[in-house]
Amino acid sequence: MTAPSLTGVRAIPRSRVLLTAAIAIALIATVAVTVLRGSYRDGALEPDAPTPQGSRAVVRVLEDTGTEVGTARHTSDAARDLRGGGTVLLADAEGLSPAQLHLLASSLDAPGAGRLVLVAPDALTLAALTEDVEPAGSIAGDATVAAGDCGGLAHGARALAVRGEDGALADQGRLGAARTYAVRGDAEGCFDAGGGSLLVSDGAITVLGAADVLTNEGITGADDAALALNLLGGEDTLTWYVPSATDPLALSAPSLLTHLPRWIGPVALWLMALVVVALVAAGRRQGPVVVEPLPVTARGEELVLGRARLLERASERTAAASALRAAAAGRLAARLGQRRETSLDALLAALAPHTSLSPDRLRALLEHRPVTDDQQLLRLAHDLDALEKEIDR
């Protein structure tokens, strides 16, 4: 039975095997981490996140007390619930586009609109939604702020614990430091500190400057739990709105391209045209393709000279000496009627009667030995040539 041929089988490179194994291990590790962690988004004030900066504890307690908490990622969903009379918590009120802010403001103005709770909003957000509240300052370090005499606006809390550098949101930038707000008109403030109030309300909008109050780590401080539950649990439903980058309205925000001068477009098109012309010029063939019949034949002298130049360039003197000895041995065997496959000992025995050289000298000439410099290689070539001429006589 003939063994199957493996000629068409290609060996897979080891680097490709290692790369495939690394990718497979990375995918398995990612899936394992996701399964162990659970299917939740880990971010600041995420309603399902059990991490210190998440808000799962607040949401669970609200649900246990009868408040149905829903999560919204798009402004249109939050605005719909707001127009329906529900309470909407805007977890990250900074960075919304003008279109998003306009939709929220128009929803607040609708008949029967609900209540909007903003967490640490910036001046632009407040200016778009209300005229009675503006930023006043911030509290960077740990502090306990008393409610003071603010009646029902305290929502049953006598003091709030504000976290500073060690807080769960310390690395979140705009949500890290607690903010205070100044009020005017019919708006009211509570928990006064830093030139303003941590909690203010103008009726339709309530502003909470301490985002740590709603985190899993900060909810246990002072009366933070009482404030969070009473502030958000007054209705049967609560929409927890966390803005998402995939929101179609968020994509309408001005991009970097809108700030570029008008002449950038024509210049960019001109540069692209230059690049295309340069690529065409560089890729143009210099004349027709030369067709040469195969197989290509070359003279023996060219092959010998080419191999000699390669050996010279690589300084392979021993390899050149071996080639000289093999060629000379083949020619000597042919002249003496020997086969080219004859062993060196048989060739030396056949040469002995026809030359004046001693057996040791003959062996030194024809046996494979290293050559260290050009002088030895030249001397070897001269001696082999002399041996062949002596045999020819």
Side-chain angles (χ1 to χ4, degrees):
M1 175 183 263
T2 304
S5 175
L6 300 179
T7 305
V9 180
R10 296 181 60 185
I12 301 177
R14 184 178 180 183
S15 58
R16 183 176 300 178
V17 175
L18 294 178
L19 178 60
T20 304
I23 294 175
I25 293 174
L27 291 176
I28 294 173
T30 302
V31 172
V33 170
T34 303
V35 172
L36 293 176
R37 189 187 69 175
S39 57
Y40 64 85
R41 298 191 183 188
D42 186 10
L45 302 183
E46 281 288 343
D48 294 331
T51 54
Q53 65 180 1
S55 301
R56 184 176 181 179
V58 177
V59 173
R60 288 295 177 86
V61 176
L62 287 172
E63 292 176 343
D64 292 342
T65 56
T67 300
E68 183 180 353
V69 181
T71 304
R73 302 288 177 182
H74 293 175
T75 311
S76 57
D77 298 333
R80 179 197 60 211
D81 296 340
L82 194 58
R83 290 191 300 269
T87 300
V88 176
L89 170 70
L90 179 50
D92 189 356
E94 188 172 338
L96 297 181
S97 68
Q100 290 174 298
L101 294 175
H102 176 74
L103 181 57
L104 291 176
S106 60
S107 300
L108 281 173
D109 295 336
R115 184 166 56 98
L116 179 62
V117 180
L118 304 176
V119 179
D122 60 347
L124 293 177
T125 302
L126 289 173
L129 298 176
T130 179
E131 298 178 353
D132 297 334
V133 181
E134 61 183 9
S138 62
I139 304 175
D142 296 346
T144 300
V145 182
D149 186 12
C150 52
L153 187 58
H155 293 85
R158 293 169 296 182
L160 290 183
V162 178
R163 303 295 300 275
E165 298 179 354
D166 297 332
L169 299 176
D171 59 345
Q172 294 298 322
R174 56 181 180 269
L175 289 178
R179 294 180 176 181
T180 59
Y181 299 89
V183 297
R184 57 190 174 189
D186 297 332
E188 299 177 339
C190 193
F191 302 98
D192 296 338
S197 303
L198 289 174
L199 182 67
V200 299
S201 176
D202 67 352
I205 294 179
T206 301
V207 177
L208 175 62
D212 263 307
V213 171
L214 302 179
T215 63
N216 296 323
E217 184 181 63
I219 192 66
T220 58
D223 296 330
D224 294 0
L227 174 65
L229 298 178
N230 293 327
L231 175 64
L232 304 177
E235 304 291 338
D236 294 335
T237 60
L238 170 68
T239 301
W240 198 289
Y241 173 33
V242 182
S244 172
T246 60
D247 192 336
L249 291 178
L251 300 178
S252 63
S255 63
L256 179 61
L257 297 178
T258 59
H259 300 285
L260 296 177
R262 294 183 178 180
W263 52 265
I264 288 294
V267 171
L269 293 177
W270 181 69
L271 291 177
M272 291 176 60
L274 289 181
V275 171
V276 171
V277 172
L279 291 176
V280 172
R284 188 169 57 89
R285 294 186 306 189
Q286 305 297 328
V289 178
V290 178
V291 179
E292 186 174 358
L294 296 177
V296 178
T297 58
R299 293 183 298 175
E301 295 85 348
E302 295 179 0
L303 295 177
V304 172
L305 291 175
R307 185 178 181 186
R309 291 193 182 98
L310 289 176
L311 293 175
E312 179 184 9
R313 192 172 301 171
S315 298
E316 289 289 343
R317 299 181 182 87
T318 301
S322 298
L324 292 176
R325 288 187 173 107
R331 290 191 294 268
L332 291 173
R335 291 168 185 170
L336 296 176
Q338 303 286 330
R339 299 175 57 186
R340 297 183 64 88
E341 297 82 4
T342 302
S343 64
L344 179 60
D345 292 337
L347 179 60
L348 294 178
L351 286 172
H354 303 282
T355 180
S356 60
L357 299 178
S358 64
D360 293 338
R361 179 57 180 162
L362 284 175
R363 182 175 295 275
L365 281 177
L366 298 176
E367 189 177 38
H368 175 73
R369 294 183 182 182
V371 176
T372 59
D373 53 34
D374 294 338
Q375 295 298 328
Q376 292 184 10
L377 184 61
L378 291 175
R379 190 178 306 111
L380 174 63
H382 181 270
D383 293 343
L384 289 174
D385 182 63
L387 176 60
E388 291 187 49
K389 290 179 178 180
E390 185 178 3
I391 297 301
D392 288 340
R393 300 195 197 105

